[in-house]
Amino acid sequence: MLHLDNAWHPEPTPAGTWELTLTNLSDTTLADFTLSLTSITRVVGADPDLHNVRFLKRNANFHSFAPPEGLTLAPGEAWTFRIASLNRSPFHRNDAAKTAWVTIAGQHHPVSVGDLMLKGSVPAMPPPRLPEGRLTLPFALLPWPRQIEGTPGPAPVILTAAPGTSVEDRRLMLSVDALHARLFPTARRLFTLTPAMGDRTLSFATADMAPDAYRLDFGDTITLTASADTGRRHGLVTLARMLHGAFADPDFLFPATGHIDDAPRYGWRGCHLDVSRHFWPMEDVLRFVDILAWEKLNIFHWHLADDEAFRAEILALPEMTKTGVTRGPDRPDMLPQLGDGITDTGGFYTQADMRAVVAHAASLGVEVMPEIDIPGHCAALLAARPELVDPDEPAESYHPVQGFPNNALNPAMPATWTVLEHILDELCALFPSPHFHIGGDEVAKGAWLASPQARILMQREGLAGTFELQSWFLTRVKKMLETRGKILVGWNEVAHGGGVPPENTVLMAWENAAVGIELAEQGYDVVMTPGQAYYLDMVQGADWLENGAGWAGPVPPQQSYEYEAEGDFPDHLRARMRGVQACIWSEHFTTKAWFNDLVFPRLSAMAEAAWTPAADKDWLRFARQVRQHPEL
């Protein structure tokens, strides 16, 4: 057995010192070995400040080290080394080595890894993330409706379709009942088509109202009124949540009389899931879509490709899901990244898989928007298609914030456009959503400038610098999407260097809230997804012992709940704000337990912020209710 301990000293400023100790608990002496690890805190610099270690290689989050010449580790002995050249100071206990292994004569041996310990002070225990809360009405209902009046009473045993209910409405009832059963497999069923003792009858009516609005009237019979299936489904989910809550917690009751008038605050109520950094199997993706529908979110933003892997099968480019998805310690072009170990990791979605997700989501009123991140974040794509690289561009001539070398598609290479034609042709045919997300974020300053082919293109087109070339590239991509009937969606950096034409373009403001206003002023439609409120991989508190990412600062559930995305938007720009979205980036999510710890209850908090008018939000009511959320 081998074990690696991590510690961080705050000196010297600004990034401090990372101390690592490898202990040999095996029965054999270690000699002539290397130590590899993955860490989001990275070694930087051409001549890093090291003590008692030789630095061999770094590729983004992958690091390889060797001990000083001649060092051996007998059973029970330890080797300690220190690094003072870091990209930044760590924020929390999970900001150092996440996985590690020792290599001897080409054989890899796993190393267990401890938390990053804080030197110089005792870390505080994190406080509870939720207060006890209190109820305003004893109904289990999230997101809270626009208007509700009700007299509490006992819950019926089940809700029964009224005689004469249409086939379509009965199908919708059973669809919501099946959704609830998938999310809560041991819970009682909520809807039935035939009368039962202790039931209440549910009837359906039609009225002139917005397609996503509904009204519920409670009496001896419950009447659900809507103009379209979207509104009827929202009403059924409302009934399902109230009934489930009453069954699960004796503090919750069910309306005996009263009414609910409801409609969503925003048309765009989305959630993003990154499946590139870590692969989520089909059963998890389908369950994730179920959770979105339960929360009344209507956009699933499926982040299918990034530096770590290209997860979407492209029939014309089979190597994309061979070379472009598998990482391992013996794959020099696809080395392990954060959370990967000695076993090759891979996984991708076949075209049949993607069709199945689209169909499942459509049955629940959820639109699936694919994302292929370009022109940056393309390390995996370039590993699979090396002919897209300018052979005369020096290796490692630029690095984006994540540290991957030369990871942007080169607009000057003709093969780039052939590959993009294939990708867009196949994915636009698979995904009926009118929206197609092309990323457009975090291209390194200086990208392409060392490429002779790119310099020729820039001179020919009269372009100055990386971001004017990015603007040229994305404008051409926008035209390609428009010929396929799609609206370009991208991250806020799409506007850099002159941007793309704002008409039929939607940009997502992720860096901070002020960026959204700037984009709206430039004429773009905007979805607000600032890391400071809606990035669900962020830590939920400032304490060292919390887990998660930290670049946007701590994002406790109350902050996600109370954040008002349109709060500073001038009145004349509010029509540009399409809605809000949460983002789930998977660098830290190596297990479902980590996912559930970080995503909930903040996903429910964001969902209520997307649905409920600002004046009707109530943090303490939410805190009391949200404990019934499902998990992945």
Side-chain angles (χ1 to χ4, degrees):
M1 177 180 180
L2 305 171
H3 182 75
L4 186 68
D5 282 317
N6 294 266
W8 179 69
H9 304 257
E11 298 296 332
T13 59
T17 301
W18 184 11
E19 179 181 286
L20 299 99
T21 300
L22 177 68
T23 301
N24 180 12
L25 298 177
S26 73
D27 296 327
T28 59
T29 296
L30 297 186
D32 299 321
F33 65 91
T34 61
L35 171 67
S36 299
L37 58 85
T38 68
S39 171
I40 204 162
T41 296
R42 300 190 292 270
V43 180
V44 295
D47 185 22
D49 184 356
L50 309 171
H51 173 72
N52 201 34
V53 67
R54 291 177 289 153
F55 181 47
L56 304 179
K57 181 181 180 63
R58 180 177 72 80
N59 178 276
N61 300 311
F62 169 86
H63 299 71
S64 183
F65 304 95
E69 290 284 355
L71 184 144
T72 62
L73 283 183
E77 290 185 339
W79 161 47
T80 296
F81 61 95
R82 297 178 184 86
I83 305 165
S85 298
L86 305 175
N87 62 322
R88 57 165 175 77
S89 59
F91 300 112
H92 300 277
R93 65 180 176 89
N94 59 275
D95 267 359
K98 213 170 189 75
T99 50
W101 59 96
V102 160
T103 302
I104 305 172
Q107 297 297 310
H108 308 298
H109 306 275
V111 177
S112 61
V113 179
D115 280 348
L116 181 63
M117 305 306 292
L118 180 62
K119 295 283 189 176
S121 62
V122 177
M125 291 298 293
R129 293 171 179 168
L130 289 170
E132 182 177 345
R134 50 102 181 96
L135 296 176
T136 54
L137 285 171
F139 305 134
L141 182 51
L142 292 177
W144 197 250
R146 185 177 296 268
Q147 184 182 44
I148 179 170
E149 295 179 8
T151 303
V157 170
I158 201 163
L159 298 179
T160 303
T165 298
S166 71
V167 169
E168 292 77 14
D169 288 340
R170 283 181 284 168
R171 287 174 181 161
L172 204 54
M173 283 179 68
L174 294 185
S175 170
V176 172
D177 194 56
L179 168 67
H180 169 259
R182 291 192 299 272
L183 293 175
F184 305 99
T186 63
R188 290 158 53 183
R189 301 302 280 236
L190 307 177
F191 299 101
T192 183
L193 302 183
T194 56
M197 296 296 293
D199 66 358
R200 277 176 67 188
T201 301
L202 173 63
S203 66
F204 292 82
T206 302
D208 185 16
M209 56 178 65
D212 50 7
Y214 69 93
R215 179 182 172 94
L216 286 165
D217 290 287
F218 296 90
D220 293 337
T221 293
I222 301 168
T223 302
L224 168 55
T225 303
S227 68
D229 278 355
T230 303
R232 279 186 282 276
R233 185 182 296 105
H234 290 157
L236 287 166
V237 170
T238 290
L239 292 170
R241 294 193 70 138
M242 288 194 295
L243 203 53
H244 174 82
F247 292 164
D249 185 334
D251 286 348
F252 291 112
L253 300 171
F254 194 83
T257 61
H259 70 272
I260 293 174
D261 269 308
D262 202 13
R265 182 180 184 185
Y266 295 120
W268 188 297
R269 305 179 307 283
C271 190
H272 152 290
L273 179 64
D274 165 23
V275 298
S276 174
R277 273 57 182 262
H278 291 288
F279 179 70
W280 297 96
M282 272 291 287
E283 59 266 28
D284 291 340
V285 175
L286 294 171
R287 183 172 175 86
F288 181 72
V289 172
D290 283 345
I291 292 170
L292 301 189
W294 189 248
E295 300 285 1
K296 295 179 183 165
L297 298 173
N298 65 343
I299 303 284
F300 170 34
H301 175 174
W302 200 2
H303 188 91
L304 288 162
D306 212 298
D307 287 308
E308 283 77 0
F310 192 101
R311 304 285 188 196
E313 181 184 37
I314 306 298
L315 298 177
L317 306 169
E319 60 279 3
M320 301 296 292
T321 45
K322 293 178 182 176
T323 306
V325 299
T326 306
R327 290 193 170 274
D330 298 315
R331 297 176 178 271
D333 293 329
M334 291 285 284
L335 288 165
Q337 292 300 327
L338 197 64
D340 297 335
I342 63 173
T343 304
D344 281 0
T345 59
F348 67 95
Y349 305 100
T350 66
Q351 295 207 352
D353 290 337
M354 291 183 279
R355 288 190 190 94
V357 171
V358 167
H360 181 71
S363 74
L364 297 169
V366 176
E367 173 187 329
V368 184
M369 175 180 68
E371 179 185 357
I372 302 297
D373 204 345
I374 55 174
H377 288 278
C378 283
L381 193 159
L382 293 170
R385 303 290 303 210
E387 76 275 13
L388 305 187
V389 176
D390 182 348
D392 297 318
E393 181 179 22
E396 307 218 19
S397 59
Y398 63 89
H399 297 81
V401 64
Q402 286 83 9
F404 288 91
N406 294 25
N407 72 331
L409 285 181
N410 193 324
M413 302 299 291
T416 293
W417 301 101
T418 302
V419 165
L420 287 179
E421 290 279 357
H422 287 308
I423 292 171
L424 296 183
D425 277 345
E426 295 192 25
L427 293 184
C428 287
L430 285 168
F431 291 91
S433 166
H435 303 101
F436 196 105
H437 202 297
I438 53 78
D441 61 316
E442 296 181 325
V443 172
K445 185 178 181 180
W448 305 308
L449 299 185
S451 161
Q453 293 293 326
R455 300 292 295 187
I456 292 169
L457 173 62
M458 293 168 70
Q459 183 176 15
R460 185 180 74 234
E461 298 293 333
L463 304 172
T466 293
F467 297 112
E468 287 192 14
L469 181 52
Q470 173 183 288
S471 171
W472 182 91
F473 174 92
L474 292 176
T475 298
R476 182 168 172 179
V477 170
K478 178 177 169 64
K479 291 176 182 175
M480 294 168 70
L481 287 171
E482 287 175 341
T483 63
R484 294 163 173 82
K486 302 295 184 181
I487 295 168
L488 183 146
V489 184
W491 303 108
N492 54 244
E493 296 98 319
V494 169
H496 290 179
V500 302
E503 185 179 0
N504 288 326
T505 299
V506 179
L507 298 187
M508 293 184 166
W510 68 271
E511 291 180 282
N512 56 63
V515 169
I517 298 172
E518 294 170 7
L519 294 172
E521 288 172 339
Q522 295 172 42
Y524 294 105
D525 282 356
V526 179
V527 173
M528 297 295 288
T529 180
Q532 297 79 7
Y534 295 153
Y535 268 37
L536 306 187
D537 59 319
M538 291 295 122
V539 292
Q540 300 187 67
D543 300 287
W544 183 266
L545 297 178
E546 287 278 10
N547 61 24
W551 66 263
V555 182
Q558 186 172 1
Q559 186 166 309
S560 295
Y561 183 83
E562 293 182 343
Y563 173 72
E564 275 297 305
E566 69 176 55
D568 295 324
F569 263 74
D571 288 343
H572 70 284
L573 294 177
R574 292 212 172 173
R576 293 275 178 208
M577 209 203 98
R578 297 276 297 274
V580 297
Q581 178 172 295
C583 288
I584 300 173
W585 298 100
S586 293
E587 286 97 331
H588 291 286
F589 292 3
T590 51
T591 66
K592 281 198 273 191
W594 275 74
F595 182 99
N596 290 327
D597 182 62
L598 284 165
V599 169
F600 303 107
R602 292 184 295 182
L603 180 62
S604 301
M606 173 266 162
E608 183 149 310
W611 183 280
T612 305
D616 296 321
K617 288 162 64 178
D618 184 321
W619 164 244
L620 292 178
R621 180 193 65 220
F622 171 84
R624 175 62 185 86
Q625 294 211 3
V626 75
R627 289 168 173 83
Q628 293 193 3
H629 66 76
E631 293 186 339
L632 193 64

